[in-house]
């Protein structure tokens, strides 16, 4: 039943990364057992970096058949792949290392001068690589303004009804203010399991809006996960949950 996602409040950013690590491994094992491959789609941003490093570090990486992992992107900034703002660059530096380098990476092409063509190419790739169940696991983040992937408040992409991927204009409220390519709500909901990682006190207000029974999805795009038919989980630290540290 769609509705409020499971919310797990964990003690720290590190504990969020640990729990996310366990969820990734369990989703990977079950997808590989069921379908012989694991299609993981991930977001950019700072929050998932510790998770990515733990998954790819020789000392901590799980014992998975990484050649059966396909890695997709939920969004990308329209910058060259070498730009520090590129999500593909973050993934190459933090995740696609060590044993994880054996995974098949499907980057969104932020350097393509024609964003419509780049979005359409990725759309075709997704339609070709994904079965009716969609991604086996999608990991999202959430901005302080309630955006997720690159679906910003009041973006026309929020009302898209047929496409999985679209180009969108640069946000006006958060950095980096560059144009993006993003999964649409249809693309986000096309998955078997959904995990949202939320850390930091600047996220507390948006998290309250996500949890509220009633609210405006255009104002708080991450609320679209409430329409998900499978299990959506939010892993957050105490700061994001609004729990103030004691004296
Ligand atoms: C991006 C994202 C974006 C991100 C949130 C949270 O590329 O900007 O995919 O949706 O997940 O902004 O970012 P932080 O983890 O840095 O707070």
């Amino acid at each position: 039943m769609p509705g409020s996602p499971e919310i797990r409040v964990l003690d720290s950013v590190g504990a969020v990364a640990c729990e996310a690590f366990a969820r990734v491994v369990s989703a990977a094992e079950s997808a590989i057992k069921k379908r012989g491959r694991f299609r993981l789609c991930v977001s950019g941003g700072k929050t998932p970096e510790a998770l990515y490093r733990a998954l790819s570090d020789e000392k901590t990486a799980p014992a998975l058949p990484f050649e059966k992992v396909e890695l997709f992107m939920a969004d990308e900034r329209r910058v060259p792949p070498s730009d520090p703002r590129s999500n593909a660059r973050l993934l190459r530096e933090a995740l696609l290392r060590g044993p994880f380098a054996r995974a098949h990476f499907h980057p969104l092409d932020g350097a393509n001068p024609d964003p419509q063509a780049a979005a359409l190419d990725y759309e075709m790739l997704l339609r070709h690589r994904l079965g009716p169940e969609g991604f086996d696991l999608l990991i999202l983040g959430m901005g302080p303004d309630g955006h997720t992937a690159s679906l910003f408040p009041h973006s026309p992409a929020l009302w898209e009804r047929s496409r999985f991927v679209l180009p969108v204009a640069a946000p006006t409220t958060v950095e980096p203010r560059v144009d993006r390519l993003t999964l649409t709500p249809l693309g986000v909901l096309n998955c078997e399991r959904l995990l949202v990682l939320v850390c930091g006190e600047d996220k507390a207000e948006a998290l309250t809006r996500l949890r509220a029974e009633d609210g405006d999805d255009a104002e708080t795009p991450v609320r679209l996960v409430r329409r998900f038919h499978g299990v959506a989980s939010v892993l957050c630290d105490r700061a994001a949950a609004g729990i103030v540290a004691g004296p």
Side-chain angles (χ1 to χ4, degrees), residues 82-175:
S82 57
D83 190 290
R85 294 166 298 181
S86 158
N87 283 341
R89 175 175 166 161
L90 165 77
L91 295 176
R92 288 197 174 94
E93 288 180 358
L95 184 57
L96 291 156
R97 300 153 58 239
F100 214 112
R102 301 208 302 275
H104 303 275
F105 182 35
H106 302 293
L108 256 166
D109 185 3
N112 190 328
D114 181 347
Q116 291 292 350
L120 200 57
D121 283 351
Y122 213 64
E123 173 102 22
M124 304 300 273
L125 174 90
L126 295 185
R127 292 192 184 271
H128 176 65
R129 301 303 306 167
L130 304 179
E133 63 289 334
F135 302 115
D136 297 300
L137 176 65
L138 168 61
I139 301 180
L140 294 171
M142 183 189 80
D145 58 350
H147 80 262
T148 194
S150 285
L151 292 167
F152 297 98
H154 303 288
S155 165
L158 290 166
W159 287 276
E160 173 60 33
R161 289 286 174 264
S162 60
R163 292 279 299 274
F164 284 158
V165 188
L166 281 180
V168 291
T172 52
T173 47
V174 292
E175 298 295 338

Side-chain angles (χ1 to χ4, degrees), residues 160-242:
E160 173 60 33
R161 289 286 174 264
S162 60
R163 292 279 299 274
F164 284 158
V165 188
L166 281 180
V168 291
T172 52
T173 47
V174 292
E175 298 295 338
R177 297 175 192 221
V178 286
D179 292 348
R180 319 280 184 105
L181 297 164
T182 185
L183 290 182
T184 62
L186 209 62
V188 166
L189 297 176
N190 185 32
C191 63
E192 199 166 71
R193 301 177 199 211
L194 216 165
L195 205 54
V196 191
L197 308 184
V198 182
C199 290
E201 61 178 334
D202 60 330
K203 310 282 176 69
E205 209 190 302
L207 187 58
T208 304
R209 296 205 303 271
L210 164 61
R211 297 173 82 164
E213 209 55 55
D214 296 313
D216 182 354
D217 293 17
E219 195 67 46
T220 311
V222 70
R223 283 180 58 87
L224 76 90
V225 308
R226 298 176 63 93
R227 282 185 256 146
F228 185 52
H229 280 265
V231 181
S233 303
V234 177
L235 306 182
C236 63
D237 67 351
R238 291 164 62 87

